[in-house]
């Protein structure tokens, strides 16, 4: 008497073995390679409507690079088209806040998700990408954003402003002169400048529609009455193309006039508020000010950068390990280039009309009324 076999395949016979192999191997229709070869066909030979490309590389030649398992430049194609449509509308209406469907990103909202979505939607295989965080290329946030673009979009990354085609920045505009072949994407925490004077977004949108900015003018007047001058250190309100009041993101006043009549396209993206707006090249951008209280930039009391010796750049105080406080260029990349080339030109409209400039430059409209102007 023979013992029953314990092998299910032997007990089931040849047919069951074939079925088990079928389950193990899967059917040919489930093979991703067969789907990638092209659309499937029905019995009558017509193409199946359910076919979708397996990757963006099937649609766009030259974008085969990037991190495996992710779409090119991380975002899906529908998202990038949505962002580009918003950008086109923003360029057509300078200063106007355009809504877009902001997506979830691999970092918390408020850390530059809007700027990342705008940058990744614009990047292509031939671009060079630069990221600035408060003037530095090497901060944690700047390095991580740069690494995300490098790995998912397979683009060149750089710290040189002149070499970059797309620049994403947090709260600074580069000191170096930019060209019409570059795009500057600014991260924006708060989109509406009128929120300083009224917390109701509905009421503020009506004000924008009617170009009614009287409440902001009153707030500036009260600031002058209290302090003798307009004391707004960052996010200085500007009027774009003589139409829309715009928040230029928390850039210092030093950078505000760089927006006026520039050759570069400026994009402002807020992921948390799902808004994007733009300043196209050669567009008028005028800081709000009064005839007897002109717009002023920061004054550094004759200080210069301790590394490159610059006196015409935005300076910040740095404290060394020995406790000594010095001034240094906030734009670290520009400072490095100034060390090698002291005469390197910078982007600053020193001849702008209606602006009180520079360290220790007296403003006659202030000094006549008793203001210090220094």
């Amino acid at each position: 008497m023979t013992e029953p076999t314990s092998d299910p395949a032997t007990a089931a016979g040849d047919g069951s073995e074939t079925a088990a192999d079928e389950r193990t191997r899967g059917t040919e229709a489930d093979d991703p390679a067969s789907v990638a070869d092209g659309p499937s066909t029905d019995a009558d030979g017509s193409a199946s409507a359910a076919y979708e490309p397996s990757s963006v590389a099937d649609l766009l030649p030259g974008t085969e690079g990037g991190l495996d398992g992710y779409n090119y430049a991380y975002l899906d194609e529908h998202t990038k088209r949505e962002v580009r449509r918003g950008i086109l509308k923003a360029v057509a209406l300078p200063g106007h806040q355009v809504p877009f469907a902001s997506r979830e990103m691999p970092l918390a909202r408020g850390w530059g998700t809007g700027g990342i979505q705008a940058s990744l939607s614009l990047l292509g295989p031939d671009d060079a990408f630069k990221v600035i965080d408060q003037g530095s290329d090497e901060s944690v946030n700047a390095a991580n954003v740069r690494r995300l673009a490098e790995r998912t979009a397979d683009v060149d990354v750089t710290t040189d402003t002149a070499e970059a085609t797309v620049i994403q920045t947090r709260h600074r505009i580069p000191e170096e002169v930019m060209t019409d072949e570059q795009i500057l994407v600014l991260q924006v925490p708060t989109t509406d400048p009128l929120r300083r004077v009224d917390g109701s977004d509905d009421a503020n949108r009506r004000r924008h529609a009617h170009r009614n900015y009287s409440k902001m003018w009153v707030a500036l007047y009260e600031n002058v009455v209290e302090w003798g001058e307009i004391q707004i250190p960052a996010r200085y309100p500007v009027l774009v193309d003589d139409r829309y009041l715009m928040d230029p993101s928390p850039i210092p006043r030093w950078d505000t006039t760089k927006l006026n009549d520039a050759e570069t396209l400026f994009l402002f993206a807020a992921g948390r508020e799902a808004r994007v707006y733009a300043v196209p090249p050669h567009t008028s951008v005028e800081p709000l000010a009064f005839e007897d209280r002109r717009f002023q930039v920061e004054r550094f009391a004759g200080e210069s950068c301790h590394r490159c010796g610059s006196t015409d750049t935005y300076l910040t105080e740095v404290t060394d390990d020995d406790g000594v406080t010095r001034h240094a260029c906030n734009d670290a990349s520009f400072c490095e280039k100034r060390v090698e080339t002291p005469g390197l030109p910078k982007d600053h409209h020193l001849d702008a009309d209606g602006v009180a400039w520079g360290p220790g430059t007296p403003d006659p409209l202030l000094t006549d009324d008793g203001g210090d102007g220094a």
Side-chain angles (χ1 to χ4, degrees):
M1 177 172 150
T2 60
E3 295 181 356
T5 178
S6 60
D7 186 359
T10 306
D14 294 340
S16 296
E17 182 180 2
T18 304
D21 292 342
E22 284 272 343
R23 288 193 297 271
T24 303
R25 293 193 302 268
T27 61
E28 183 178 352
D30 294 332
D31 184 4
S34 64
V35 178
D37 291 337
S40 58
T41 55
D42 297 331
D44 59 356
S46 60
S48 173
Y51 165 71
E52 293 184 1
S54 61
S55 69
V56 70
D58 295 342
L59 298 175
L60 302 177
T63 60
E64 293 81 2
L67 188 65
D68 291 340
Y70 289 91
N71 194 53
Y72 181 79
Y74 186 81
L75 299 172
D76 63 90
E77 298 306 307
H78 296 290
T79 298
K80 287 188 280 192
R81 284 195 292 269
E82 162 75 14
V83 176
R84 290 169 188 153
R85 283 194 292 265
I87 290 175
L88 289 175
K89 185 174 181 179
V91 171
L93 298 170
H96 174 63
Q97 301 169 42
V98 178
F100 74 100
S102 180
R103 302 299 204 267
E104 294 294 333
M105 296 297 293
L107 74 164
R109 294 188 184 275
W111 288 87
T113 57
I116 295 174
Q117 291 179 72
S119 297
L120 294 178
S121 299
L122 297 172
L123 286 175
D126 298 328
D127 281 311
F129 189 46
K130 173 182 169 72
V131 186
I132 310 170
D133 187 356
Q134 295 281 20
S136 173
D137 297 88
E138 303 304 331
S139 70
V140 174
N141 194 40
N144 286 337
V145 173
R146 187 168 59 244
R147 188 180 302 113
L148 174 67
E150 183 180 20
R151 297 182 65 187
T152 61
D154 196 28
V155 296
D156 294 331
V157 294
T158 181
T159 59
D160 190 339
T161 300
E163 294 180 357
T165 56
V166 178
I167 305 172
Q168 180 178 326
T169 178
R170 177 174 177 258
H171 308 347
R172 276 309 311 275
I173 295 177
E175 301 283 2
E176 197 164 354
V177 179
M178 293 183 293
T179 69
D180 56 359
E181 297 182 354
Q182 296 175 300
I183 299 175
L184 186 71
V185 180
L186 291 98
Q187 301 172 199
V188 180
T190 305
T191 58
D192 200 332
L194 291 174
R195 206 170 293 169
R196 292 177 183 268
V197 296
D198 193 335
S200 171
D201 286 339
D202 290 339
N204 290 335
R205 290 190 182 105
R206 287 194 294 270
R207 291 188 178 95
H208 284 296
H210 296 287
R211 198 178 176 273
N212 178 14
Y213 301 131
S214 58
K215 201 163 186 176
M216 176 60 77
W217 283 108
V218 171
L220 296 179
Y221 173 75
E222 292 174 346
N223 195 267
V224 171
V225 170
E226 183 175 2
W227 301 103
E229 62 179 350
I230 301 175
Q231 288 201 344
I232 300 178
R235 292 181 54 208
Y236 196 99
V238 296
L239 193 64
V240 179
D241 203 23
D242 199 32
R243 176 57 182 88
Y244 286 104
L245 191 67
M246 190 189 79
D247 188 318
S249 96
I251 60 174
R253 289 175 294 170
W254 187 272
D255 291 339
T256 304
T257 55
K258 297 177 186 177
L259 299 170
N260 182 54
D261 195 28
E263 294 189 1
T264 306
L265 169 62
F266 297 96
L267 301 177
F268 303 80
R272 182 168 46 191
E273 298 193 22
R275 292 289 187 274
V276 61
Y277 49 99
V279 174
H282 303 293
T283 300
S284 170
V285 179
E286 180 182 358
L288 296 188
F290 300 102
E291 291 183 358
D292 59 343
R293 289 295 184 272
R294 295 191 291 175
F295 171 73
Q296 291 185 329
V297 298
E298 290 82 352
R299 292 152 285 177
F300 300 106
E303 297 289 346
S304 60
C305 175
H306 73 95
R307 289 202 70 238
C308 68
S310 295
T311 58
D312 59 351
T313 58
Y314 184 75
L315 303 177
T316 52
E317 291 185 352
V318 293
T319 303
D320 296 338
D321 295 336
D322 55 4
V324 178
T325 299
R326 299 182 176 90
H327 284 78
C329 293
N330 182 255
D331 189 338
S333 173
F334 184 78
C335 186
E336 292 288 342
K337 298 178 76 171
R338 266 276 175 96
V339 171
E340 299 178 0
T341 310
L344 184 69
K346 64 179 300 295
D347 184 14
H348 213 312
H349 300 168
L350 294 175
D351 57 347
D353 295 331
V355 178
W357 287 109
T361 303
D363 184 349
L365 293 179
L366 289 177
T367 53
D368 290 348
D369 290 341
D372 55 13

